[in-house]
Every structure is written in C-alpha cells, then in structure tokens.
Amino acid sequence: MTEAPPRPAPAAPVRDHGAHREADPHDDGVAGTGRAVGSGVLRYGGAERATGAQQYVADLPFPDAAQVAFVTLPVARARITAIDTSAALALPGVVAVLTADDLPQPVPRFGISHQDRPVIADGEVVFHGEPAAVVLAETVDQARAASRAVVVHHEPLPGVYTLEAALAPDAPLVHHPSVRPASGPAADSNVLDDAHYAWGDLEAESARADVVVENTYSFPMVTHFPIEPGGTVVVPTADGGVEVYSPVQHPYLLQRVLAKVLDLPLTKVRVLAPDPGGGFGGKQNPRYEPLMAFLALRTGRTCRLVHSLEDTFAMMRRAACRIHARTGFASDGTVLTHELRADYLIGAYADVAPRVMSKGSYVGAGPYRIPAVRIDARAVLSNTTPSTAFRGFGCPQVAWATESQMDAAARALGLSGLEIRRRNLIGRGEAFVRGECPAPSDGDWLESLEKAAALIDHDAPRPPGRGVGIAVAIKPGATSGLSQSLVRLLYDGSALAYAGTSDMGQGARTLWQQILADELGVGLDAVSVVSGDTDRVPFDLQTSASRSTVFMGNAVLAACRDIRAQVLELFAEATETPVELLGEGPGVLLTPEGELPLPEAARIALGSLRGEFVGRGTSRMRGRSAHPLGGDAAFYEFNCTAIEVEVDTDTGELLLLKHVSVSDVGTELNPLQVVSQDEGASIMGLGHSQMEQLLVGEDGVIRNLGALDYRIPTFKDVPVELVTAAVANADGPGPYGSKGISEGALLCTAGALGAAVTDAAGVVLRDLPITPERVWRALHDQTD
Amino acid sequence: MRYTSPRSADEALGLLAEHGAGAKVLAGGTDLLVALRHRTVEPAVVVDIKRVDDFDEPVRVTDDAIVVGPTATMGRLAELEEVRRRHVALVEAALTVGSVAIRNRASLVGNSCNASPGADTAPVLLALGATVTIAGPAGERTVGLDDFFLGPRRTACGPDELVTALHLPRPRPGSGSAFQRITRRRGVDLGTVSIAAVLGPDDDVALGMGAVGPRPLVARTRLGDHESTAAAVEHLVAAATPIDDVRAGSDYRRAMLRVLARRALDTAARRRDEEAA
Amino acid sequence: MTTFAATGPSPDHEDPAVTVSTTVNGEHRTMSVPAHRTLLEALRDQLALTGSKTCCAEGECGACTVILDGHPVTSCLVLAVEAEGREVTTVEGLAPQPGELSDLQEEFLAAGAVQCGFCIPGQVVAAECLLRANPTPSTAEIREGMSGNLCRCASYERIVCAVHATAERRAGA
C-alpha cells in the first residue's frame, strides 16, 4: 500500500523548526553521513500529504463498488421486533438489505477483552447509532435513500447513560445475559470489571497526617474527532476470501478477528490499511469490518462504506470518569496516603475499556513517593458509544484528580504547586507503585519538573487575575509486545524496510528511514518503507501505547544489524578475506584496507550474480502473568506541564498566556517529530481541559453531534506562547536510548490548567472541561 | 431537487411564485447547504440569485444610507472603507461569522433571512435600525428589521417574496457603536450571547441582543432616564428570555447579557468620544 | 438469507443531472451532476481530485477548502452547479508542476506541520489565500485567518511557522 512513490526533493533535509522550542542537544545531521538519527529529517510521505496526492481510504478508487449505508434508530436502546425491508428493496439501485437474520445464528460476536460485540445488532440496539440493518446500493445517494425506507419496528427500552443510573441497585443491565460473564461483578451488575491496587499501612499513615484533602472530580466523555472520519472497503476475492481496506492502527488484529468471525484461514483475509488520517487510539479495534465482510461475501460485491464525522461520535470516545480522592499529608507537604475510587463510564460494549480502566488507575497515585495507597477502580457499562483507547489511555482521568489533590494540599499548607511536587516526586529507581510487582521510576523526572518550572518562570510575581499551575503525570508504556521486521538491502544500494506500524501522523516511517540510513550507510532518499498490507509485511502486534519507536524501532534496528553481519560473512567469502580480519559498524564494513561503505561492501560481496541481503529483526517482550497489568511497562512516559493563565472574572473566559510542556523522551530520534507530537498532545489536552465534552441527553442520544456543537481547539485556542522541551538522557529501551513520546503532553494538562485558574481567580474547579461558564459559576457561587 | 439560476429579479420572483414553499433561495448557501445535508429542508427548486443582474449593486453607499444587496458577502462588506467608517460594530460582528472561507460565501441578507436567534449580525442590524426591502407579486414593501424577525427561522418575507436590499441608515453625527460576544472557544464559534450597542449623541441607546430569545431582540432607552448605567442596562436586557441549551445555561446567558451590554456601551461611548475629539 | 433486490444498477438519483462547465486548476472541465451534489463531492467523485477532503461536511473544519474565483471557500457548502463558468483551484493546482511542491508546501514540510496530513490540503489552500491577501501576516493574523481550518494533530504552531517562513521567502524573492 504505502510503498514510497517517487517523492519530490525536499527543500532541505533539516530546518529550524520554530522559535518556541528549547534547543535540543543534537547536531543536525545530513543524509547518508550516518547521522540521520537525531536530526529533523522531513516526514516520510510528507510531500504527498502537502500536495493532496496521499490517498486515504475514501480516496481509493473502487469503480465497481456498491455503497453501504446503515439503518439506525432514533433511540439509545430498543428491542427490535421486526424489520420491513420491502420498501427499501423496491428503490432504484438497491442491491441488498442485511439484518441479523441474514447472519449465522447466533450472530457471531467479537471483541478485545470480551467477545460481546455482535456483527450487527442482534434483536436489540444498545446504544444510539448502532446499526439495526445495513443497505447496499449502487450509489451513496441510493443507499441513503434506501436506508431511510427500511422500517425497523422497535420498542424503546430503558437504558443507563450515566454512572449514577448504571450503578443504581435496580439499573437495567446493559449486557445481554448471553454475553455477560457468569462470575465476577458483571454477572448481576453493570460493573464489567474492576481493579484494586494497594500498598502500605493506610491506618498508620493516616494517623500521622496533618492535613487530609478529600474531593470528587469528574472527567468528561470526549470523542476522538479524527479529521479523517474513515471507512471500510471489502473486496470479495475469487478464492472465497476478502481484501479489507480500513485505516486501522492494528491491521493484524483486524485480520485475526475477521478470520475468526468468518471462519477463514489468515491467508484468505488480507488487510490493507491505508494510513489513518489521525487515529489517537480511535482506529485500533474492529467495529464494522466484520459486517462489511459478511455483506461482501453474501453479495459478491465490493462493498464501500465511508463514515461521516457524526458516525465517528457513535464509534469511538474516551471513557468518562468520576474520581473520589482522599489524600493525607504531613505538615511539611510530604504525602502519606492516597485513596482513590475511580469509576470509568464505559459504553455498551467492552472494546478495550477494562484495560483502559486497569492500566490508567494503576498509576493513579502518580509519580510520587507515597507510603500507603489504595486504588479501587471500576469499568461501568452504559448504553452509550463504546469507549475505547484514546491517547493517554485511562491516565489523564486519574491524573486530573491526583494532581488537583496535590494542589489542594499545597494551598492548605501554604506551599506552591512546584514545591509540593519537589518534595514528593520519586527519584530514579525508586518505586512509585509498591507491593509485589513494584514499578520503579526509569527517568530523571525532577529534571523535567525543574525545567518546566524555569521555562514558565514559576515563582515570578504576577499581577492580579493571572496565575500559574504546574502538574506532572506518568503513563505506562506497553507491557508486552511483538514487532517483526524485514529489511532488504538491494544491489544498487537502495533499501526497503517492511514494518507493520501504522503511520497515522506520528511519523513512524520517517524513523525507520532514518535508522536504515544510518545503520546501512544509505541515503535517506534510497530508503523505502512498506507497511499497511498483511500479505506483504510481517507481523506487528499493534500501533498503540507509544510503543512503535521502542518495539518496531528495535526490530528494524535488529534487521539492519542482521544485514551487516550477512554482508560481512559474504564479503569474507567473496574476497577470501579471513572473517576475523573484518568488522562492521553503522553504515560501514571494516576491512584491513580501511572502512568501506556498507552498500559498496555489499556490492562486492554479491558480485556478478547480484541479488540482495534480507535481514530479519524481531522485538519480543513477553508479559508476566503474575503482574496486575500482565507485565512490567517497557518504559514510562513522564510529562510536566505548566500553564500561565489570565481569568476574566466577569465572563469566566480564560486567556492562556503561556503553556510549557516538558517530556522525558530518552533520545530525540527526530526532534522535529517530537516537537510536532508534543505540541499536538498539549493542545489536545487543552481540548478536554477547556472545551470538549459529549453531552448525552436523558434519552441517551448525543445532543452535540457533529462539528458545530462539539468544539475542539482551533488556531486561536493555542496559548499565546506554546513552549515544548525535552529531557533526553538516553535512558529508554528503544533504539539509541529512546522512549515512546506520543501521549505524555496531554496527561496532566488539566491539572496544570485547574491549578492556574485557582491561582488566578481563587476558585477551585473539579469538573472538566473548565469552560467559561463553569469558571463564572464558581466565581458566582463564591460571591453568593 | 432542481437548480435554477434566474438572470433577473422578476424571473426569480416568478420561480418563487410558481413553487411557493417548495422553493428555497440560495445566496451564499452557508445555511442552506447545511440544512440540505441534514434534510431539515427538502426543496423542489433552489433559486440561486447570484446571477441576477438587475439587483442594485451589491453594496451602494449614499449620503443617507448604505444599501446592501442580497448577494453581498460578509467578507466583502467588512472590507469596505465606508462600512468600516460608519459601522464599526457591524464590521466586528460580520468578522465573527464563521471563518474567512465562510465569510466569502455567507451573505448578510441571506443570514438575516435565515433568522437564526443567534445570528451574530442581527443584533447590530437591529440596533442600527436597519430596514429591508421585500419584493413580491404585489410589488415592493419596506419593513423594519424588528418587524421582519418573527421567530426562530421565521421572517416577514413570504415564500413568494424576496429580500432585495437591506438599508443601513447613516448614524447621526456623534454616535458610537460596539459589538461583544461570548463563545465557548476563541476560534470560530457560534455566539453563546451576542450584543451590539449603538449610542447616539443624546445618550439614546439601542441594544441588540442575540441568542437570548426566540429571535434577535432590540431594546431602546435613553441613559439619562435612568439613575445609573447599570439601571439602564437592567431596563434594556429585561426583554431577553434566554434558555438552557447545549451552548450555555440560561442564568449564564442572562449574566453575560449584563456584562457584555455594559462593555459594549462603554466601548461605544469611548468611540463616540474619540470621534468627537 | 440476505434479501436481494430485483433491480439492477440504475441512474444516480431522481434529481436530473446538470452539465456544469468550469475551469479547474487552469483546465476546462465538464461535469454531469445532480443539483444537490456539492462542489466537494463533484471534485472528488467526478474529477478524481481527491486532495480536497471530507470531514464535517458543513463548513466547520476547512478540510475541503478550495479557491473559487480567487477566494477561499469550503467546497462542501457550494453546490457543484454553482461553479458553472467559474474558476476553481484545488490543492492539486498549487504546485508549479505535477510532482513538485510550492514554496508554501515545502515550508509546511520543513516546519513539521504535516502529521497525519488529512487536513493539510485544506490548510495549504487556506494559507496560500491568506498570504495572497496579506503577504506579511503577523502571528495573530495567521491564527485569525486560519481559524476555520481544524487540525486534530494540532500542528497549529508548525503551520504558523510555515506561513511565516513562506512570507519571508517570498519577500526575499
């Protein structure tokens, strides 16, 4: 799919990337000189994106495809009593209408943590927007017209749309008994899963506490809002299989799920994943691909479905969360105890939401040295859009509460937000999660805190109405993983990397290109990267949790080094040089006559028969079944964010004067891409902190469906000054000491903003987003 | 749906007369196309008036008034020197409507005919005492904008009629105006509350208000008739009946009315004084 | 059993098709579209110019921005039939030659503005129009002028850098 097409020559390989970035420690490198890594190499595939040539799924031509439209109901939960398709079938261009009755019985279900999601609504729709039937017609207009003509007889059923309703003793149960676990909390309640972490002696430590702060916080339901809504095309193949085009982050997971649901071998399910136009976690897991595959196999037609932005609101969202926190401190600000109850409001199907809950709450105590902690978290089902992975996973939710608690205590003790964090932040190697499976810090996190404090000029006096807030947070990286890569060094010195990572904007392919350039001694322009095709590219578990730099990065690196070893061996044989006289290094073969560029050594080794070298690399991290997360995190993303804000106390409006984000990145493999990711995550964090929230009505229907009333940050919402910086101590497990970096900058945005607003205006907000109306209301309540 | 592109106002009126409620006028299309997408309107005929060549020129400036034709865009209007000189608040309001790309399409008259309760330009047009010329089978009539807005998405313009011009009377010497609004974010947004104040030489005030009632509102008073500016503001905003919706609560809207009214009045007064100086 | 309809392929929609002649990226093009078809849909489906993207489809995101008679517009809010006799420039028409980049497109890459890339064609078109109207914009003017173009990767600061760099380059040219 994504083999390199001819690319226009970039203006220059490296450029100054703006005034607002702290200087990075790396020199700018030049292609082919062995210093591509660490320099701001321009994005692989960037030129196609800038000219409009890049083809996303909706841009791919399928001239013979029939078009798909969903039939949905105007309610959140209903029993389907009958579906009358006759009027729809009589309309021009209609090919077929498919309902649950047309599928194998019982209707197959699939899922990540639970096999609970039916291919199509089976007797009942359980959230607003879930298709009750699907129409196939020659054109989009015809499909939509026919979808309106399908009559779905249904009885609305009571649903639960809030934590209160879902947890009520007599709440209707979201999960059908047939898919509900027989044991555990979900057997007779809407609590699908729970997690508990505890260490230390709460009673004893509580007795020592001089100050105890206890509050309840809320984090809204927010949606991914990728600018590419996405879609799926399924082509039935002559051998009874399917080719599936879907911009997914995990092509191999989709392949596995489809093979199982369709009862086909993996070889008959080919997933071609065009680059997602933004993923953010929303495009990880299968949703309607199985339905599309059945439709294609039943009709023998290529079936094409392109989603609207509104559709995505019914497909993906972040779990909302309510967090109750009780935290005890000694008079010097030392935190002694932290008790957290976090209820994540997940949707009508599990997706990965239980994992979001357990992994997010795992770091609920933050990167602090706390002697006694108790965390109880639950994933609570509701009749709403199934929640899924979203940049930061479940961490921003608990960080909002924990960071706000730190500031509440700081105020009570007369300390600054900076000082209380200085006193409690964990040092390298110390465990911030204690107990049987301790989690030690893998970075110099105080350095990030101090850097951010300096950049925001934390202790500077500020005029009335202005305030500053500083916050920190961590997120566990992947706890297991498998990435496999192939690299081919061709006779003419060009090279191909086969790496299954989805490039959804983070720029993964650029990194593979850089690694190949340095390790094989080839020019950047001589490197192509192939991804997005399960028939051509070896296995990669998934593109998530900021894992790719570490996992696929190491696999690509290993494949390059495999090639170097092969070149050495063959060169020895071809030139009859004793192996022990040869050596290899990045981009070179060391011979008795001196260094030889690796491509030249390869040519000599291959000789007149030509051919190529094929290197293999695998990066495998097995989990640990005894670990509550199924394994230790490969690394932690740590971020410190500091915000300076001015509050208009008449209207509640905020003016963000300065926003500082400092991430612990290990090594900046591509500083330009690190900046892009850090700035992007910072602003995305401001989205859920300031303006984003899905408003669900009492009927379970989203009230602000679409771009007009669901507001995400624009150019004008960027803080007056946005500064990102990195701490780079080469202490990560990835290539050259790198860590994953794509999520850090949004983990604690809310905490920093909340503290800044309190500092500026004297009011404390515990519900996100911090809208002008909420700030005004807090000020208003205060003066009443 | 059929598309028509009449070349004359008479031809356009003929189409409207023929199709009645089944016809929709298309000027900038920024409201109509959204409605078509959501199927909240399903016209049999769309009457695109952008190729009508016997309308008055898009914007005509006379000593007494600025006459805005039905196809003049927000963007064009906000660029015109004479509009900027006479009607600062209108320019401020027009520049909050959508993005640059939207303002290159959206027509001021079309936006008024759409009669959204929250239309950002409506408060200032009301406060400026704008009138519209409505052409129909029985000829032309002139209606004050305050009588034109009837309710949400309802105006005095009948299905067989067409608004052919909007007249902005020249402000009296010694007047000042200002526009203020609250939004949920800083970038392109619909106003949670919008306010326009026009302050005349005798301290007579017209306050236009958007998104605080079923239609844009205007209230008038004379500052001297009240004990204080705050009392005058109370009097002016009394007609507002804000509701709770996805954008804000009614109490917030009511409070913001007062804050914005006060700010708009202060700015209008400052501008009036600056002009006098 | 899947229920099959008796009818085969048939014309697009009950709306009659209208022939529209327009100039797109300097070339005369003729399209046959029903009246309800937007310019965005026609560019993508009829002319295979898929650089203009569909996201919100109601003028809120700017991903479909094109230049119509010299002015940027959201092509999702323009009927294709309205383009009769008009001049349209899409992102595909900005580079001097196919396979090349305009100075602005180069600066987008150099600034790190291109992440997932889906909004970028609209951003490039909007930024080009901004620079034509205001060759030396301030940061505030860029943020104001571009605020109709959403980027969920939030490359906003990168794009501001790219616009500044292009302005400097053009001033020096």
Side-chain angles (χ1 to χ4, degrees):
Chain A
M1 271 311 302
T2 41
E3 224 172 325
R7 283 178 299 132
V14 175
R15 296 241 349 158
D16 170 26
H17 39 73
H20 298 299
R21 178 69 174 177
E22 276 295 285
D24 68 76
H26 303 278
D27 290 331
D28 289 333
V30 178
T33 63
R35 287 197 296 148
V37 170
S39 72
V41 169
L42 300 188
R43 177 161 305 252
Y44 187 97
E48 294 85 332
R49 285 162 165 76
T51 58
Q54 175 72 29
Q55 290 193 312
Y56 300 87
V57 69
D59 304 331
L60 298 171
F62 291 97
D64 299 327
Q67 310 291 330
V68 173
F70 287 164
V71 179
T72 59
L73 304 182
V75 296
R77 183 168 176 239
R79 181 178 299 116
I80 299 167
T81 51
I83 300 179
D84 182 354
T85 60
S86 54
L89 288 165
L91 288 174
V94 175
V95 177
V97 179
L98 187 136
T99 70
D101 290 346
D102 304 312
L103 293 172
Q105 301 296 320
V107 172
R109 289 180 185 252
F110 60 95
I112 308 306
S113 67
H114 296 67
Q115 307 293 302
D116 60 353
R117 184 168 195 138
V119 171
I120 192 167
D122 186 11
E124 194 177 312
V125 294
V126 293
F127 68 95
H128 181 236
E130 181 175 28
V134 60
V135 173
L136 188 67
E138 296 300 334
T139 71
V140 172
D141 283 337
Q142 290 167 341
R144 287 184 187 155
S147 73
R148 290 189 293 271
V150 173
V151 183
V152 181
H153 299 280
H154 62 277
E155 297 165 10
L157 295 172
V160 289
Y161 317 115
T162 62
L163 280 171
E164 292 71 23
L167 292 170
D170 55 350
L173 295 185
V174 174
H175 263 188
H176 194 265
S178 62
V179 294
R180 210 175 289 149
S183 61
D188 57 358
S189 83
N190 286 317
V191 178
L192 179 61
D193 203 358
D194 51 16
H196 307 279
Y197 310 104
W199 62 85
D201 186 339
L202 262 181
E203 211 172 312
E205 297 295 341
S206 294
R208 297 205 291 137
D210 298 307
V211 169
V212 174
V213 288
E214 183 164 4
N215 296 296
T216 301
Y217 301 88
S218 73
F219 194 105
M221 206 185 267
V222 295
T223 190
H224 297 65
F225 204 125
I227 305 298
E228 183 214 25
T232 298
V233 181
V234 179
V235 183
T237 57
D239 64 357
V242 285
E243 284 181 359
V244 181
Y245 296 78
S246 199
V248 289
Q249 295 174 229
H250 306 343
Y252 302 85
L253 173 68
L254 176 58
Q255 182 190 33
R256 186 180 86 205
V257 168
L258 284 170
K260 185 172 176 216
V261 169
L262 301 171
D263 194 21
L264 288 172
L266 288 173
T267 49
K268 285 194 177 182
V269 179
R270 180 179 184 183
V271 174
L272 297 113
D275 287 354
F280 315 111
K283 293 175 182 168
Q284 289 189 1
N285 300 320
R287 292 190 185 88
Y288 299 120
E289 291 90 344
L291 176 58
M292 293 288 291
F294 272 112
L295 194 57
L297 288 172
R298 287 298 162 89
T299 59
R301 294 289 301 269
T302 294
C303 297
R304 178 173 181 264
L305 171 66
V306 176
H307 297 299
S308 68
L309 178 66
E310 287 89 344
D311 290 342
T312 71
F313 282 48
M315 291 170 64
M316 52 181 89
R317 68 169 177 92
R318 192 194 286 279
C321 197
R322 184 181 61 201
I323 310 103
H324 183 83
R326 186 172 191 276
T327 317
F329 295 82
S331 58
D332 66 354
T334 308
V335 54
L336 300 171
T337 65
H338 191 49
E339 293 164 84
L340 211 58
R341 280 206 316 275
D343 285 332
Y344 289 79
L345 184 68
I346 70 168
Y349 298 120
D351 199 281
V352 290
R355 177 80 174 161
V356 169
M357 177 275 298
S358 61
K359 202 172 172 187
S361 58
Y362 178 73
V363 290
Y368 299 115
R369 194 186 301 108
I370 312 182
V373 167
R374 182 186 165 95
I375 297 165
D376 298 293
R378 298 187 287 187
V380 182
L381 291 159
S382 66
N383 294 103
T384 61
T385 299
S387 69
T388 185
F390 194 155
R391 202 178 200 172
F393 225 50
C395 300
Q397 290 95 321
V398 287
W400 161 234
T402 297
E403 289 305 286
S404 297
Q405 287 289 92
M406 296 302 284
D407 286 299
R411 287 190 297 271
L413 292 164
L415 297 171
S416 72
L418 173 60
E419 190 53 38
I420 200 163
R421 286 174 176 81
R422 269 187 192 134
R423 293 185 186 184
N424 290 292
L425 201 59
I426 204 101
R428 177 184 286 275
E430 283 184 82
F432 54 92
V433 173
R434 305 188 191 181
E436 282 176 31
C437 298
S441 159
D442 59 352
D444 299 304
W445 296 344
L446 263 165
E447 194 182 333
S448 298
L449 177 73
E450 297 297 349
K451 194 164 189 172
L455 285 169
I456 200 89
D457 203 357
H458 184 274
D459 296 333
R462 290 181 163 79
R466 286 197 190 179
V468 69
I470 193 164
V472 297
I474 40 171
K475 176 186 179 287
T479 57
S480 63
L482 175 59
S483 293
Q484 294 175 297
S485 172
L486 285 181
V487 172
R488 294 164 64 194
L489 176 62
L490 307 187
Y491 184 80
D492 65 352
S494 59
L496 285 154
Y498 295 76
T501 300
S502 287
D503 201 333
M504 54 196 173
Q506 83 283 38
R509 277 196 294 265
T510 319
L511 299 189
W512 317 152
Q513 183 194 27
Q514 290 174 267
I515 292 172
L516 260 67
D518 281 1
E519 295 293 327
L520 302 180
V522 298
L524 285 165
D525 288 345
V527 178
S528 296
V529 181
V530 186
S531 62
D533 182 348
T534 56
D535 260 16
R536 294 166 64 195
V537 182
F539 183 84
D540 179 45
L541 189 68
Q542 43 192 245
T543 305
S544 67
S546 305
R547 76 175 62 221
S548 302
T549 295
V550 172
F551 285 82
M552 187 56 80
N554 281 336
V556 170
L557 190 61
C560 290
R561 290 180 178 169
D562 182 22
I563 285 183
R564 291 218 306 259
Q566 291 181 42
V567 171
L568 187 150
E569 199 174 323
L570 197 65
F571 185 92
E573 187 190 313
T575 60
E576 297 180 358
T577 311
V579 168
E580 53 277 16
L581 296 182
L582 298 172
E584 42 93 1
V588 294
L589 186 76
L590 307 170
T591 72
E593 285 76 41
E595 276 187 12
L596 207 52
L598 197 76
E600 201 182 321
R603 259 193 306 277
I604 294 167
L606 290 168
S608 62
L609 292 176
R610 304 196 167 211
E612 64 185 56
F613 290 95
V614 182
R616 288 190 308 167
T618 292
S619 173
R620 187 190 311 268
M621 184 170 121
R622 293 188 198 281
R624 199 148 65 91
S625 59
H627 195 286
L629 293 186
D632 296 299
F635 59 89
Y636 283 87
E637 271 194 77
F638 177 88
N639 177 271
C640 181
T641 292
I643 292 175
E644 181 175 359
V645 76
E646 187 173 284
V647 179
D648 182 331
T649 51
D650 289 334
T651 63
E653 290 172 300
L654 308 181
L655 175 62
L656 272 66
L657 298 164
K658 189 166 183 177
H659 183 130
V660 171
S661 169
V662 179
S663 291
D664 185 336
V665 303
T667 299
E668 290 186 299
L669 300 184
N670 185 325
L672 192 55
Q673 293 193 165
V674 176
V675 173
S676 301
Q677 285 289 303
D678 275 353
E679 288 183 355
S682 296
I683 293 167
M684 186 173 257
L686 289 176
H688 66 233
S689 301
Q690 274 194 285
M691 63 189 78
E692 294 183 36
Q693 54 181 330
L694 285 171
L695 301 168
V696 177
E698 286 177 12
D699 55 358
V701 174
I702 295 170
R703 296 168 66 210
N704 55 343
L705 191 66
L708 203 56
D709 277 312
Y710 184 90
R711 289 318 206 180
I712 65 171
T714 72
F715 272 92
K716 284 180 76 179
D717 296 287
V718 176
V720 176
E721 204 183 341
L722 175 61
V723 180
T724 64
V727 166
N729 293 333
D731 52 359
Y736 321 108
S738 58
K739 304 177 184 179
I741 57 109
S742 290
E743 300 166 272
L746 59 57
L747 298 176
C748 63
T749 319
L753 183 70
V757 169
T758 305
D759 190 39
V763 290
V764 180
L765 287 110
R766 300 195 179 90
D767 299 312
L768 297 179
I770 302 173
T771 60
E773 182 173 357
R774 281 200 168 130
V775 174
W776 170 83
R777 214 170 278 288
L779 286 159
H780 194 67
D781 291 349
Q782 191 185 43
T783 52
D784 274 357
Chain B
M1 186 178 101
R2 197 159 63 84
Y3 170 82
T4 60
S5 183
R7 300 303 153 125
S8 69
D10 278 349
E11 198 188 330
L13 285 168
L15 285 161
L16 294 176
E18 186 186 340
H19 297 280
K24 282 284 169 196
V25 176
L26 167 62
T30 52
D31 289 315
L32 180 62
L33 265 77
V34 174
L36 290 174
R37 174 171 185 258
H38 292 290
R39 311 181 71 84
T40 52
V41 298
E42 295 185 83
V45 173
V46 162
V47 182
D48 182 355
I49 57 168
K50 287 192 292 298
R51 289 175 205 259
V52 168
D53 57 18
D54 60 352
F55 283 141
D56 211 338
E57 55 193 298
V59 182
R60 184 162 53 86
V61 178
T62 71
D63 274 352
D64 302 335
I66 293 175
V67 183
V68 183
T71 59
T73 64
M74 302 276 184
R76 180 75 189 119
L77 207 64
E79 275 174 0
L80 291 173
E81 196 46 47
E82 197 55 31
V83 177
R84 299 175 76 92
R85 188 151 47 229
R86 291 188 198 178
H87 301 298
V88 185
L90 175 59
V91 172
E92 288 175 326
L95 290 179
T96 67
V97 175
S99 59
V100 172
I102 295 294
R103 295 196 290 275
N104 283 334
R105 296 286 292 172
S107 99
L108 181 71
V109 169
N111 201 230
S112 303
C113 291
N114 189 51
S116 161
D120 281 311
T121 51
V124 64
L125 295 175
L126 283 167
L128 289 169
T131 59
V132 291
T133 302
I134 303 175
E140 283 189 353
R141 60 196 175 107
T142 300
V143 177
L145 207 58
D146 199 18
D147 297 320
F148 179 73
F149 293 129
L150 300 180
R153 315 260 165 199
R154 284 198 306 122
T155 69
C157 183
D160 55 355
E161 293 183 308
L162 186 64
V163 175
T164 53
L166 183 145
H167 306 255
L168 289 164
R170 183 177 198 130
R172 284 175 296 154
S175 299
S177 68
F179 174 78
Q180 292 273 329
R181 68 175 194 155
I182 292 274
T183 51
R184 293 162 295 178
R185 67 178 179 196
R186 289 185 172 268
V188 178
D189 202 354
L190 302 159
T192 301
V193 176
S194 56
I195 286 281
V198 176
L199 185 60
D202 312 323
D203 272 357
D204 48 318
V205 179
L207 191 78
M209 295 168 270
V212 288
R215 43 152 286 182
L217 303 171
V218 65
R220 295 172 198 278
T221 191
R222 195 176 296 273
L223 290 182
D225 295 348
H226 303 274
E227 279 182 8
S228 62
T229 308
V233 166
E234 281 309 311
H235 174 82
L236 286 165
V237 304
T241 54
I243 56 166
D244 294 329
D245 65 14
V246 294
R247 284 165 214 155
S250 58
D251 56 344
Y252 181 62
R253 282 197 162 102
R254 197 173 283 285
M256 290 310 101
L257 261 180
R258 296 189 177 95
V259 171
L260 298 188
R262 185 60 193 257
R263 288 182 180 181
L265 276 174
D266 290 348
T267 306
R270 184 171 47 74
R271 286 177 176 159
R272 186 180 63 173
D273 297 346
E274 278 167 8
E275 196 176 290
Chain C
M1 259 314 289
T2 309
T3 329
F4 282 87
T7 52
S10 72
D12 194 30
H13 193 266
E14 61 268 30
D15 285 357
V18 185
T19 303
V20 179
S21 296
T22 179
T23 303
V24 181
N25 298 332
E27 280 179 42
H28 181 77
R29 303 295 294 262
T30 304
M31 309 182 272
S32 176
V33 288
H36 66 274
R37 187 75 76 238
T38 65
L39 178 59
L40 173 62
E41 292 165 335
L43 288 169
R44 291 177 52 80
D45 300 340
Q46 285 250 321
L47 303 184
L49 292 169
T50 54
S52 307
K53 304 299 181 195
T54 312
C55 172
C56 75
E58 49 192 41
E60 290 291 321
C61 75
C64 66
T65 307
V66 302
I67 307 174
L68 183 63
D69 284 349
H71 299 286
V73 300
T74 47
S75 59
C76 69
L77 292 187
V78 179
L79 293 176
V81 287
E82 292 181 78
E84 170 67 35
R86 311 232 183 259
E87 215 168 291
V88 180
T89 305
T90 69
V91 68
E92 289 93 342
L94 291 185
Q97 296 287 330
E100 291 182 7
L101 296 178
S102 73
D103 52 356
L104 177 64
Q105 288 165 330
E106 284 178 358
E107 295 301 338
F108 262 67
L109 292 188
V114 180
Q115 296 194 61
C116 87
F118 198 79
C119 74
I120 293 297
Q123 303 276 4
V124 169
V125 173
E128 180 60 42
C129 293
L130 176 89
L131 282 167
R132 287 180 190 175
N134 179 0
T136 54
S138 67
T139 295
E141 286 169 337
I142 298 170
R143 287 181 176 183
E144 175 69 44
M146 297 290 296
S147 69
N149 289 76
L150 299 176
C151 174
R152 191 54 153 167
C153 302
S155 291
Y156 296 131
E157 285 295 87
R158 309 288 91 223
I159 294 171
V160 170
C161 288
V163 174
H164 278 311
T166 308
E168 281 165 29
R169 213 164 133 180
R170 290 183 185 179

